[in-house]
Amino acid sequence: MNPSKTPLISLSLCLGALAFGCGASVAPGTDSGADRISSDAVVSLPDVATQPDTGIVGSCALGTPARVLMPQVLFAGQPLGLTVEVEGAGCGCALSLRPNGLSSARGFDPTLCNCCRDCECVDSGYRASELLGAPPAGRSDYAITGEMQRRSVHVFASADACSSTGIDVREVTVRGPAEFQRPTGPNLYWVEVTGLHRPCCRNEVGFVNQMQGNAFTLSPRSCETFGCASACPPEAQRMPVQFTATHLLGDLRPGDYRVTVGASTVAFTVR
């Protein structure tokens, strides 16, 4: 049975998988990635053998990202992380981020391996993360296979180059690996912030991060990532624009945490 054609079945049993458990039959989460490819097809990668006797597919396949977590703005010394989430595509799959050199950007293939093809169940989803170090000042481009557009990360030498005013934080969400059955890589926790700001030309939002004990305080900054062709009007006269920005909290140890962004505070537990 091809895992990509397996229906969702409540309380399903995993048949034929000797080395893998059966995933919970949970509907895939809402896709918030505006840049993802709409097709849910899984494309097989060539030249890898299969193991038909056990029902485990030894070949690998490209998964379509349902959500990608990566910052748009960093300040000198802040670490760069990458997390890709993929919807369930069978039982017992392992997701990895394989580097590729297919473009001028630094590229990653979200790759599902060792899926159980004869299991009448579907895992709730998969998550893979990478820590990529602290990049130097400037712009770096990244290509995640399955997304139609590249992602750019802008690193500023100082937060003083960005504006701390005119930013209205509306919603703060912490995203971690707990909801995924088989996360791979470091267990990265992220905060996702949505709101409004008043950019001059094209601004992205980043965060100055202060941590005391298990409490994070994030101060948003609106950073100009492209030069303006003409002078900017005063901030009060600029049109408010919606933004969504992510910030890496890190590979956190078990415990209770709190993150504050503007007037919003979210408490969460790492188990």
Side-chain angles (χ1 to χ4, degrees), residues 31 39 160 260:
D31 181 357
S39 171
D160 294 340
T260 299

Side-chain angles (χ1 to χ4, degrees), residues 45-110:
L45 299 179
D47 301 326
V48 186
T50 60
Q51 301 172 351
D53 293 339
T54 64
I56 306 298
V57 177
S59 61
C60 298
L62 294 176
T64 300
R67 179 184 288 118
V68 175
L69 298 171
M70 194 175 204
Q72 295 170 307
V73 168
L74 291 175
F75 300 108
Q78 290 183 332
L80 174 60
L82 168 64
T83 293
V84 178
E85 298 172 358
V86 173
E87 295 176 356
C91 286
C93 301
L95 178 66
S96 63
L97 299 177
R98 294 186 175 181
N100 67 55
L102 301 181
S103 70
S104 58
R106 186 172 180 181
F108 294 90
D109 294 331

Side-chain angles (χ1 to χ4, degrees), residues 73-75 78 156 158-167 169 197 203-210 218-224 243 245 261:
V73 168
L74 291 175
F75 300 108
Q78 290 183 332
F156 290 83
S158 171
D160 294 340
C162 306
S163 174
S164 60
T165 61
I167 306 172
V169 173
H197 68 145
N203 291 36
E204 307 293 354
V205 174
F207 301 90
V208 176
N209 183 6
Q210 295 180 332
L218 304 184
S219 301
R221 297 288 190 273
S222 179
C223 302
E224 189 70 44
F243 73 87
V261 189

Side-chain angles (χ1 to χ4, degrees), residues 94-165:
L95 178 66
S96 63
L97 299 177
R98 294 186 175 181
N100 67 55
L102 301 181
S103 70
S104 58
R106 186 172 180 181
F108 294 90
D109 294 331
T111 307
L112 292 167
C113 294
N114 299 324
C115 299
C116 178
R117 65 180 181 182
D118 291 333
C119 296
E120 296 183 356
C121 55
V122 176
D123 289 333
S124 59
Y126 310 102
R127 190 184 205 254
S129 298
E130 293 282 349
L131 280 171
L132 305 174
R139 169 182 166 177
S140 300
D141 293 329
Y142 299 84
I144 315 302
T145 303
E147 290 197 309
M148 297 183 67
Q149 297 181 4
R150 295 179 179 181
R151 292 175 176 260
S152 296
V153 178
H154 302 267
V155 181
F156 290 83
S158 171
D160 294 340
C162 306
S163 174
S164 60
T165 61

